[in-house]
Amino acid sequence: AQKVTQAQTEISVVEKEDVTLDCVYETRDTTYYLFWYKQPPSGELVFLIRRNSFDEQNEISGRYSWNFQKSTSSFNFTITASQVVDSAVYFCALSRYNFNKFYFGSGTKLNVKP
Amino acid sequence: DTGVSQNPRHKITKRGQNVTFRCDPISEHNRLYWYRQTLGQGPEFLTYFQNEAQLEKSRLLSDRFSAERPKGSFSTLEIQRTEQGDSAMYLCASSLDTDREVYGYTFGSGTRLTVV
């Protein structure tokens, strides 16, 4: 069975603080994909990153970075120097090799205060 | 065509009425998916199409729910005899499957259904 757990329901930080959003996943597949999506109040899911199970290299994109560790089944997301515009709900998701469906976590609501 | 389009954005209906939502995927995308998202939760998979064929359905999709994609382009999701528990955001997504890879899994802005 596939499962994604985001234990942090809500996080509040002050602008310019760094913040890490945790994601732990469960799967017995050897080939799978992990994703992060951002959902602002408007409702659409905005794609942030996709990572396959064979690529454990960490990735940095501007103020965003991702730490993928298969040993702990985690795919954590760090925002450096957070900004008010980062306020949103962030979802971690898991897909099997065939992309037939995504398994989403319950999301982490990030509040960045000025 | 710059994204996945869903209509209407909001729908309020009385319990027992039927409702239909429409999704227009990115034009070159051959896969189309429906998800349901309730308040405070992540989206849950409902069903997906490869071209016009409906290849997988979740157990969440009760007999009152039906989805179609008649010409492999737009899709409709119909809920018959709506119940208050159907109140949720219904999200559509599309992607391109090239046999070697699946690209561009893109979500629409959703249709928010409120059953009163």
Side-chain angles (χ1 to χ4, degrees), chain A residues 25-79:
Chain A
Y25 63 92
E26 296 176 29
T27 180
R28 293 182 182 176
D29 293 349
T30 53
T31 302
Y32 54 89
Y33 294 83
L34 295 165
F35 299 78
W36 276 95
Y37 280 85
K38 175 182 180 179
Q39 189 174 45
S42 52
E44 78 274 21
L45 284 164
V46 178
F47 169 81
L48 296 177
I49 190 171
R50 162 179 145 173
R51 175 68 67 203
N52 75 54
S53 53
F54 298 107
D55 183 3
E56 283 193 77
Q57 202 167 15
N58 292 331
E59 182 158 338
I60 298 174
S61 175
R63 297 184 296 109
Y64 296 169
S65 62
W66 291 268
N67 182 355
F68 177 25
Q69 292 195 336
K70 287 178 75 171
S71 60
T72 55
S73 297
S74 65
F75 187 44
N76 296 338
F77 173 31
T78 298
I79 302 175

Side-chain angles (χ1 to χ4, degrees), chain B residues 48-56 69 72:
Chain B
Y48 107 90
F49 293 83
Q50 177 98 11
N51 300 310
E52 66 274 10
Q54 188 174 20
L55 297 186
E56 189 164 347
R69 193 182 184 199

Side-chain angles (χ1 to χ4, degrees), chain B residues 17 22 26 35 42 45 58 76 81 91 98-99 103 115:
Chain B
Q17 298 292 307
R22 177 177 170 127
I26 292 173
Y35 286 80
F45 171 80
S58 162
T76 58
R81 305 181 302 283
L91 291 162
T98 65
D99 293 332
Y103 297 96
V115 182

Side-chain angles (χ1 to χ4, degrees), chain B residues 37-84:
Chain B
Q37 184 179 18
T38 53
L39 204 60
Q41 297 299 315
E44 296 175 289
F45 171 80
L46 292 178
T47 188
Y48 107 90
F49 293 83
Q50 177 98 11
N51 300 310
E52 66 274 10
Q54 188 174 20
L55 297 186
E56 189 164 347
K57 291 171 61 173
S58 162
R59 290 175 211 161
L60 292 174
L61 218 63
S62 74
D63 292 345
R64 297 184 297 105
F65 287 71
S66 63
E68 294 183 344
R69 193 182 184 199
K71 296 181 180 179
S73 56
F74 74 91
S75 175
T76 58
L77 178 66
E78 181 183 16
I79 308 175
Q80 296 182 329
R81 305 181 302 283
T82 51
E83 302 172 356
Q84 287 189 322

Side-chain angles (χ1 to χ4, degrees), chain A residues 9 33 35 37 39 41-47 50 52 89 91 95 97-107, chain B residues 9 31 33 35 37 40-45 47-48 56 89 91 95 97 101-110:
Chain A
T9 305
Y33 294 83
F35 299 78
Y37 280 85
Q39 189 174 45
S42 52
E44 78 274 21
L45 284 164
V46 178
F47 169 81
R50 162 179 145 173
N52 75 54
V89 180
F91 290 98
S95 168
Y97 71 95
N98 55 13
F99 294 91
N100 286 3
K101 66 179 81 167
F102 280 11
Y103 300 86
F104 283 88
S106 54
Chain B
R9 288 298 309 276
R31 287 193 177 197
Y33 313 78
Y35 286 80
Q37 184 179 18
Q41 297 299 315
E44 296 175 289
F45 171 80
T47 188
Y48 107 90
E56 189 164 347
M89 175 80 88
L91 291 162
S95 67
D97 179 357
E101 182 60 273
V102 177
Y103 297 96
Y105 209 111
T106 305
F107 284 84
S109 297

